[in-house]
Amino acid sequence: MTDTRELIIREFMKEYAEREDGAVTVKGLCASVPVARTTFYYLSKNTTSDQLDQAWMNCSRFVLDA
């Protein structure tokens, strides 16, 4: 797992927990990390099956694009 992917997952979990509606945008998430949206989409398509990657798959399904 890349450090960038880990940072995105951690930031997503933090933002998801802080928001009442649980809606986290790709744009906002990428600005918080900071990372380009193209990197987010690249990493979300290139996963393996370990536990953190499973968490990545779970969180990337709940991220809304804006």
Side-chain angles (χ1 to χ4, degrees), residues 3-27:
D3 290 337
T4 302
R5 186 179 294 170
E6 258 183 80
L7 290 172
I8 293 170
I9 291 170
R10 287 182 187 161
E11 185 62 29
F12 168 80
M13 291 176 170
K14 177 183 155 210
E15 289 186 23
Y16 185 81
E18 291 173 353
R19 295 186 57 102
E20 278 186 36
D21 59 3
V24 178
T25 65
V26 173
K27 183 177 181 179

Side-chain angles (χ1 to χ4, degrees), residues 21-62:
D21 59 3
V24 178
T25 65
V26 173
K27 183 177 181 179
L29 183 61
C30 291
S32 296
V33 171
V35 66
R37 282 197 275 178
T38 53
T39 302
F40 172 87
Y41 291 116
Y42 173 80
L43 292 173
S44 70
K45 291 179 179 157
N46 294 291
T47 60
T48 62
S49 61
D50 70 16
Q51 273 187 322
L52 285 177
D53 282 334
Q54 186 61 44
W56 171 258
M57 291 299 292
N58 289 338
C59 83
S60 65
R61 275 183 262 172
F62 294 102

